[in-house]
Amino acid sequence: MTSKRTMTMEKIGFIGLGIMGTPMAGHLLDAGYEVVTTDHFAKPAPELSAKGIKVVTGNDAVARAADIIILMVPDTPQVEEVLFGGKGVAEGLSTGKLVIDMSSISPIFTKEFAAKVKTTGADYLDAPVSGGEVGAKAASLAIMVGGEEASFDRARPIFDKLGKNITLVGPNGSGQTAKVANQIIVALTIEAVAEALVFASKAGADPAKVRQALMGGLANSRILEVHGERMIKRSFAPGFRIELHQKDLNLALEGAKSLGVALPNTSTTQQLFNACAANGGARDDHSGVVKALELMAGHPVA
């Protein structure tokens, strides 16, 4: 007998309609999903209202109204508040519902949250993403998932509307662990591009031409392409804010300490982010790390 789930599209709750969440929810609406959100933080963007997003009051009401509830909020405390605070998602959960946390948070707390959600009869996936605002708008996000295979299979049609590289990494917490590893690579690569462009510019070379030349060789990367251009054009409006990358590197460094692992270059890059934040750049795009290097060099890239 064909299950109801295969015959009808599941109703989706979406909590966290910021830089990333707004285009992600828009893709789901475009795909024909019914999407419900809460007015707790702010009203949805006009483009989502135009596409028919429904609004209820309270995170618990979102959970009651939806089959699958997606979270996309900044950090671990916000996820905990949304799930288990007053009128939290957990109050509206029941057997058969699925929570998908697409925020980037602590792998350790993720395991605790998953265990608590499962006591309601619902299931839980941690599914953080990489690709930033550009990837969210283009529906080309990389999605790293932790949880049970059956829940992953259930969520896969939704993930397919949001991203291109979708991987079940392992049990709950594994998706967040993969995202922390991703953020280490991204931070260190951005810092390397920044160092290279500061060096080239102070040496008298045109940084735009240097970037163009490097994009034809082994040093080429998406970060050199996108963030190198941001550094040269001084375009630091956030796709992903420095303060959020600081949060992710804190997760990396805290995890490394508990595991007895040394992350020396991660630590150095975090200090550069800290310097930017201390000089008013916490809400700059993370490509703005170049400003800390420019300050030390006494020379701007452009």
Side-chain angles (χ1 to χ4, degrees), residues 26 31 33 40 81 117 125 130 133 145 166 185 188 196 207 211 233 262-263:
Y33 285 98
H40 177 71
E81 176 64 23
V117 163
L125 294 174
S130 180
E133 182 182 13
V145 188
I166 302 158
I185 294 171
L188 270 59
R211 171 180 165 276
K233 292 186 174 180
L263 299 178

PDB file of all heavy atoms in Angstrom, residues 26 31 33 40 81 117 125 130 133 145 166 185 188 196 207 211 233 262-263:
ATOM      1  N   GLY A  26      12.287  30.210   0.107  1.00  0.00           N
ATOM      2  CA  GLY A  26      11.748  30.576  -1.200  1.00  0.00           C
ATOM      3  C   GLY A  26      11.826  29.438  -2.199  1.00  0.00           C
ATOM      4  O   GLY A  26      10.886  29.196  -2.975  1.00  0.00           O
ATOM      5  N   ALA A  31       8.997  25.157  -5.189  1.00  0.00           N
ATOM      6  CA  ALA A  31       8.861  23.737  -5.531  1.00  0.00           C
ATOM      7  C   ALA A  31       7.471  23.187  -5.216  1.00  0.00           C
ATOM      8  O   ALA A  31       7.179  22.024  -5.502  1.00  0.00           O
ATOM      9  CB  ALA A  31       9.908  22.922  -4.780  1.00  0.00           C
ATOM     10  N   TYR A  33       5.991  23.232  -2.071  1.00  0.00           N
ATOM     11  CA  TYR A  33       5.768  22.874  -0.676  1.00  0.00           C
ATOM     12  C   TYR A  33       4.958  23.966   0.029  1.00  0.00           C
ATOM     13  O   TYR A  33       5.118  25.149  -0.255  1.00  0.00           O
ATOM     14  CB  TYR A  33       7.101  22.713   0.064  1.00  0.00           C
ATOM     15  CG  TYR A  33       7.833  21.438  -0.260  1.00  0.00           C
ATOM     16  CD1 TYR A  33       8.866  21.427  -1.190  1.00  0.00           C
ATOM     17  CD2 TYR A  33       7.503  20.242   0.384  1.00  0.00           C
ATOM     18  CE1 TYR A  33       9.550  20.251  -1.483  1.00  0.00           C
ATOM     19  CE2 TYR A  33       8.176  19.071   0.098  1.00  0.00           C
ATOM     20  CZ  TYR A  33       9.201  19.080  -0.836  1.00  0.00           C
ATOM     21  OH  TYR A  33       9.874  17.912  -1.123  1.00  0.00           O
ATOM     22  N   HIS A  40       7.694  35.259  15.460  1.00  0.00           N
ATOM     23  CA  HIS A  40       8.380  35.526  16.736  1.00  0.00           C
ATOM     24  C   HIS A  40       9.535  36.504  16.573  1.00  0.00           C
ATOM     25  O   HIS A  40       9.717  37.403  17.385  1.00  0.00           O
ATOM     26  CB  HIS A  40       8.887  34.209  17.331  1.00  0.00           C
ATOM     27  CG  HIS A  40       9.660  34.373  18.606  1.00  0.00           C
ATOM     28  ND1 HIS A  40       9.058  34.735  19.793  1.00  0.00           N
ATOM     29  CD2 HIS A  40      10.981  34.249  18.881  1.00  0.00           C
ATOM     30  CE1 HIS A  40       9.974  34.816  20.740  1.00  0.00           C
ATOM     31  NE2 HIS A  40      11.151  34.528  20.223  1.00  0.00           N
ATOM     32  N   GLU A  81      17.006  27.496  22.409  1.00  0.00           N
ATOM     33  CA  GLU A  81      15.841  28.306  22.749  1.00  0.00           C
ATOM     34  C   GLU A  81      14.664  27.973  21.834  1.00  0.00           C
ATOM     35  O   GLU A  81      13.523  27.818  22.296  1.00  0.00           O
ATOM     36  CB  GLU A  81      16.184  29.789  22.657  1.00  0.00           C
ATOM     37  CG  GLU A  81      15.010  30.743  22.902  1.00  0.00           C
ATOM     38  CD  GLU A  81      14.444  30.651  24.311  1.00  0.00           C
ATOM     39  OE1 GLU A  81      15.167  30.214  25.221  1.00  0.00           O
ATOM     40  OE2 GLU A  81      13.267  31.028  24.488  1.00  0.00           O
ATOM     41  N   VAL A 117      14.812  15.520  21.512  1.00  0.00           N
ATOM     42  CA  VAL A 117      13.738  15.551  20.517  1.00  0.00           C
ATOM     43  C   VAL A 117      13.156  14.151  20.322  1.00  0.00           C
ATOM     44  O   VAL A 117      11.934  13.968  20.189  1.00  0.00           O
ATOM     45  CB  VAL A 117      14.267  16.110  19.174  1.00  0.00           C
ATOM     46  CG1 VAL A 117      13.324  15.782  18.024  1.00  0.00           C
ATOM     47  CG2 VAL A 117      14.446  17.626  19.278  1.00  0.00           C
ATOM     48  N   LEU A 125      17.602  15.379  12.413  1.00  0.00           N
ATOM     49  CA  LEU A 125      18.777  15.429  11.556  1.00  0.00           C
ATOM     50  C   LEU A 125      19.518  16.726  11.815  1.00  0.00           C
ATOM     51  O   LEU A 125      18.897  17.784  11.930  1.00  0.00           O
ATOM     52  CB  LEU A 125      18.393  15.390  10.069  1.00  0.00           C
ATOM     53  CG  LEU A 125      17.740  14.124   9.521  1.00  0.00           C
ATOM     54  CD1 LEU A 125      17.307  14.357   8.074  1.00  0.00           C
ATOM     55  CD2 LEU A 125      18.664  12.924   9.616  1.00  0.00           C
ATOM     56  N   SER A 130      27.113  24.566   3.567  1.00  0.00           N
ATOM     57  CA  SER A 130      28.209  25.433   3.140  1.00  0.00           C
ATOM     58  C   SER A 130      27.878  25.977   1.758  1.00  0.00           C
ATOM     59  O   SER A 130      27.250  25.300   0.951  1.00  0.00           O
ATOM     60  CB  SER A 130      29.523  24.644   3.090  1.00  0.00           C
ATOM     61  OG  SER A 130      30.587  25.478   2.666  1.00  0.00           O
ATOM     62  N   GLU A 133      25.565  32.865   1.212  1.00  0.00           N
ATOM     63  CA  GLU A 133      24.387  33.488   0.608  1.00  0.00           C
ATOM     64  C   GLU A 133      24.283  33.152  -0.871  1.00  0.00           C
ATOM     65  O   GLU A 133      23.181  32.909  -1.390  1.00  0.00           O
ATOM     66  CB  GLU A 133      24.459  35.005   0.803  1.00  0.00           C
ATOM     67  CG  GLU A 133      23.258  35.763   0.263  1.00  0.00           C
ATOM     68  CD  GLU A 133      23.382  37.267   0.435  1.00  0.00           C
ATOM     69  OE1 GLU A 133      24.502  37.748   0.743  1.00  0.00           O
ATOM     70  OE2 GLU A 133      22.372  37.971   0.247  1.00  0.00           O
ATOM     71  N   VAL A 145      25.036  15.908   6.593  1.00  0.00           N
ATOM     72  CA  VAL A 145      23.914  15.442   7.400  1.00  0.00           C
ATOM     73  C   VAL A 145      24.353  14.392   8.415  1.00  0.00           C
ATOM     74  O   VAL A 145      25.118  13.477   8.112  1.00  0.00           O
ATOM     75  CB  VAL A 145      22.809  14.850   6.506  1.00  0.00           C
ATOM     76  CG1 VAL A 145      21.563  14.550   7.339  1.00  0.00           C
ATOM     77  CG2 VAL A 145      22.463  15.820   5.362  1.00  0.00           C
ATOM     78  N   ILE A 166      25.051  16.566  -1.361  1.00  0.00           N
ATOM     79  CA  ILE A 166      24.293  16.207  -0.164  1.00  0.00           C
ATOM     80  C   ILE A 166      24.818  14.865   0.336  1.00  0.00           C
ATOM     81  O   ILE A 166      24.762  13.868  -0.385  1.00  0.00           O
ATOM     82  CB  ILE A 166      22.789  16.120  -0.482  1.00  0.00           C
ATOM     83  CG1 ILE A 166      22.301  17.473  -1.046  1.00  0.00           C
ATOM     84  CG2 ILE A 166      21.995  15.728   0.758  1.00  0.00           C
ATOM     85  CD1 ILE A 166      21.030  17.375  -1.857  1.00  0.00           C
ATOM     86  N   ILE A 185      38.739  24.826   6.889  1.00  0.00           N
ATOM     87  CA  ILE A 185      39.305  24.951   5.539  1.00  0.00           C
ATOM     88  C   ILE A 185      38.970  26.304   4.924  1.00  0.00           C
ATOM     89  O   ILE A 185      39.831  26.978   4.349  1.00  0.00           O
ATOM     90  CB  ILE A 185      38.807  23.804   4.642  1.00  0.00           C
ATOM     91  CG1 ILE A 185      39.359  22.467   5.150  1.00  0.00           C
ATOM     92  CG2 ILE A 185      39.212  24.029   3.185  1.00  0.00           C
ATOM     93  CD1 ILE A 185      38.754  21.245   4.478  1.00  0.00           C
ATOM     94  N   LEU A 188      40.977  29.223   6.703  1.00  0.00           N
ATOM     95  CA  LEU A 188      42.404  29.237   6.383  1.00  0.00           C
ATOM     96  C   LEU A 188      42.655  29.582   4.926  1.00  0.00           C
ATOM     97  O   LEU A 188      43.651  30.230   4.594  1.00  0.00           O
ATOM     98  CB  LEU A 188      43.042  27.883   6.736  1.00  0.00           C
ATOM     99  CG  LEU A 188      43.600  27.779   8.164  1.00  0.00           C
ATOM    100  CD1 LEU A 188      42.517  28.013   9.215  1.00  0.00           C
ATOM    101  CD2 LEU A 188      44.258  26.416   8.387  1.00  0.00           C
ATOM    102  N   ALA A 196      48.217  36.532   0.327  1.00  0.00           N
ATOM    103  CA  ALA A 196      48.810  36.581  -1.013  1.00  0.00           C
ATOM    104  C   ALA A 196      48.552  37.929  -1.685  1.00  0.00           C
ATOM    105  O   ALA A 196      49.457  38.506  -2.306  1.00  0.00           O
ATOM    106  CB  ALA A 196      48.258  35.444  -1.863  1.00  0.00           C
ATOM    107  N   PRO A 207      46.930  43.701  -7.822  1.00  0.00           N
ATOM    108  CA  PRO A 207      46.325  42.516  -7.204  1.00  0.00           C
ATOM    109  C   PRO A 207      45.240  41.874  -8.062  1.00  0.00           C
ATOM    110  O   PRO A 207      45.060  40.657  -8.022  1.00  0.00           O
ATOM    111  CB  PRO A 207      45.752  43.058  -5.887  1.00  0.00           C
ATOM    112  CG  PRO A 207      45.617  44.526  -6.094  1.00  0.00           C
ATOM    113  CD  PRO A 207      46.725  44.916  -7.020  1.00  0.00           C
ATOM    114  N   ARG A 211      45.421  38.022  -9.094  1.00  0.00           N
ATOM    115  CA  ARG A 211      44.300  37.089  -8.901  1.00  0.00           C
ATOM    116  C   ARG A 211      43.942  36.397 -10.201  1.00  0.00           C
ATOM    117  O   ARG A 211      43.718  35.174 -10.244  1.00  0.00           O
ATOM    118  CB  ARG A 211      43.101  37.842  -8.342  1.00  0.00           C
ATOM    119  CG  ARG A 211      41.804  37.043  -8.300  1.00  0.00           C
ATOM    120  CD  ARG A 211      40.660  37.867  -7.726  1.00  0.00           C
ATOM    121  NE  ARG A 211      39.361  37.269  -7.982  1.00  0.00           N
ATOM    122  CZ  ARG A 211      38.665  37.434  -9.102  1.00  0.00           C
ATOM    123  NH1 ARG A 211      39.141  38.197 -10.081  1.00  0.00           N
ATOM    124  NH2 ARG A 211      37.495  36.853  -9.251  1.00  0.00           N
ATOM    125  N   LYS A 233      37.805  44.644  -4.601  1.00  0.00           N
ATOM    126  CA  LYS A 233      36.749  45.636  -4.840  1.00  0.00           C
ATOM    127  C   LYS A 233      36.243  46.285  -3.556  1.00  0.00           C
ATOM    128  O   LYS A 233      35.386  47.169  -3.606  1.00  0.00           O
ATOM    129  CB  LYS A 233      35.583  44.987  -5.591  1.00  0.00           C
ATOM    130  CG  LYS A 233      35.934  44.586  -7.022  1.00  0.00           C
ATOM    131  CD  LYS A 233      34.706  44.092  -7.771  1.00  0.00           C
ATOM    132  CE  LYS A 233      35.034  43.830  -9.229  1.00  0.00           C
ATOM    133  NZ  LYS A 233      33.845  43.342  -9.988  1.00  0.00           N
ATOM    134  N   ALA A 262      45.926  19.610  18.007  1.00  0.00           N
ATOM    135  CA  ALA A 262      46.465  20.958  17.794  1.00  0.00           C
ATOM    136  C   ALA A 262      45.947  21.518  16.476  1.00  0.00           C
ATOM    137  O   ALA A 262      46.015  20.851  15.441  1.00  0.00           O
ATOM    138  CB  ALA A 262      47.990  20.922  17.779  1.00  0.00           C
ATOM    139  N   LEU A 263      45.421  22.743  16.516  1.00  0.00           N
ATOM    140  CA  LEU A 263      44.967  23.445  15.305  1.00  0.00           C
ATOM    141  C   LEU A 263      45.657  24.809  15.264  1.00  0.00           C
ATOM    142  O   LEU A 263      45.018  25.848  15.424  1.00  0.00           O
ATOM    143  CB  LEU A 263      43.440  23.612  15.332  1.00  0.00           C
ATOM    144  CG  LEU A 263      42.592  22.335  15.370  1.00  0.00           C
ATOM    145  CD1 LEU A 263      41.118  22.707  15.436  1.00  0.00           C
ATOM    146  CD2 LEU A 263      42.865  21.446  14.163  1.00  0.00           C
TER     147      LEU A 263
END
